[in-house]
Amino acid sequence: MSKSPDRLVILTGAGISAESGLPTFRGADGLWEGHRVEDVASPVAFARDPELVHRFYNLRRAALRTVEPNAAHLALARLEAAWRGSFLLVTQNVDDLHDRAGSRRLLHMHGELIRARCKACRHGWEWRDDLSPDSICPSCGKSGRVRPDIVWFGEEPLHLGEIFDALSRASLFIAIGTSGHVYPAAGFVDVARGAGARAIEINLADTAASAAFDERRTGPATDLVPALVEELLAAQSVG
Ligand code: APR
């Protein structure tokens, strides 16, 4: 690493949680009960069959109780705590592994499995148990209007203003465990590089976005992320 960058923006995808035991979307384990995720994670699917969609998320929410943050999540929390410049971690993941690892400068752009939201009054709250069409909103008291607080296909991702603002000022952009298929996240590298940032991709394999990166590190996140974090902190200490 040459001159230490000071404005970090990091993007993670399902690949950073794979070694904790959570399935990715487009790997061999990408289907759920024969359904493509895109066919379940959508407002149309929820309107058509709320029971099916609630079951899909209830199972994923329950799975969170059986997995732990891995060395890659923990390394990013360590980096954030020791980083003297600006730091932003943007995740496409709806699991809570970054949160449990200790990350705080963290934006969940696709929402969170451990939150529910009321379609009637828009109230949102932390919720770690099952949801169903009979779930009642603790704010407005209505039932049949509660949904997982997840951004579905066709819906606007969260925090885009803050994310694009950070990307436009980044000096280093790192993408970890994301296939580069889903926009707007897949285009973040172009925004960062357009602002003069260096871009590093960590993945098991080439991705749809690989050509846009200055550097690609191929291998498992639990090996490569701690190594990169140590490198960044060492470069920072020499100023
Ligand atoms: N270490 C590093 N990378 C890994 C690992 C690992 N151990 N395991 C898998 N990967 C990589 C895969 O090679 C792949 O490029 O992680 C990526 C996972 O890609 P996807 O399954 O497409 O997940 P993601 O990129 O996060 O999907 C983006 O699509 O379905 C929507 O909203 C959903 O947030 C999701 C978005």
Side-chain angles (χ1 to χ4, degrees):
M1 190 67 61
S2 55
K3 176 183 170 308
S4 168
D6 59 354
R7 298 182 306 283
L8 285 192
V9 177
I10 299 172
L11 172 68
T12 62
I16 200 169
S17 298
E19 291 167 87
S20 292
L22 293 180
T24 61
F25 291 95
R26 292 169 187 82
D29 52 6
L31 287 181
W32 175 74
E33 293 189 358
H35 298 277
R36 287 178 342 119
V37 172
E38 291 85 333
D39 297 336
V40 179
S42 77
V44 168
F46 189 62
R48 184 178 59 228
D49 188 348
E51 289 279 6
L52 173 85
V53 176
H54 276 307
R55 188 167 80 245
F56 173 63
Y57 286 99
N58 290 344
L59 289 170
R60 291 178 67 196
R61 201 174 297 111
L64 289 186
R65 293 193 282 272
T66 68
V67 297
E68 295 296 326
N70 62 48
H73 298 105
L74 295 168
L76 293 182
R78 208 166 46 246
L79 176 62
E80 174 186 340
W83 195 248
R84 291 198 290 269
S86 65
F87 180 98
L88 179 63
L89 173 55
V90 180
T91 188
Q92 299 171 91
N93 301 338
V94 294
D95 64 56
D96 62 346
L97 295 179
H98 281 307
D99 313 74
R100 286 162 54 192
S103 291
R104 293 293 171 267
R105 283 289 295 129
L106 167 64
L107 296 177
H108 283 272
M109 65 180 287
H110 290 165
E112 296 179 71
L113 264 178
I114 56 159
R115 290 185 61 79
R117 182 153 52 82
C118 176
K119 290 175 65 172
C121 71
R122 301 196 59 72
H123 174 63
W125 65 99
E126 186 170 319
W127 186 259
R128 293 176 180 269
D129 297 318
D130 285 358
L131 289 172
S132 80
D134 303 327
S135 297
I136 292 171
C137 171
S139 176
C140 72
K142 287 195 175 68
S143 81
R145 311 286 285 152
V146 177
R147 60 170 277 180
D149 199 3
I150 301 272
V151 176
W152 286 331
F153 283 90
E155 295 181 329
E156 170 93 355
L158 307 173
H159 312 297
L160 290 183
E162 184 175 352
I163 293 169
F164 281 112
D165 182 50
L167 290 168
S168 66
R169 288 177 299 144
S171 50
L172 178 60
F173 174 73
I174 305 169
I176 304 166
T178 181
S179 60
H181 279 295
V182 176
Y183 284 81
F188 288 174
V189 58
D190 299 320
V191 178
R193 296 210 53 208
R198 179 167 171 68
I200 299 175
E201 181 183 56
I202 290 181
N203 200 299
L204 280 183
D206 283 358
T207 72
S210 291
F213 286 83
D214 296 289
E215 182 184 347
R216 300 203 312 267
R217 299 190 181 190
T218 304
T222 53
D223 287 347
L224 297 184
V225 176
L228 177 57
V229 165
E230 295 322 310
E231 205 177 299
L232 287 168
L233 293 179
Q236 173 178 255
S237 64
V238 299

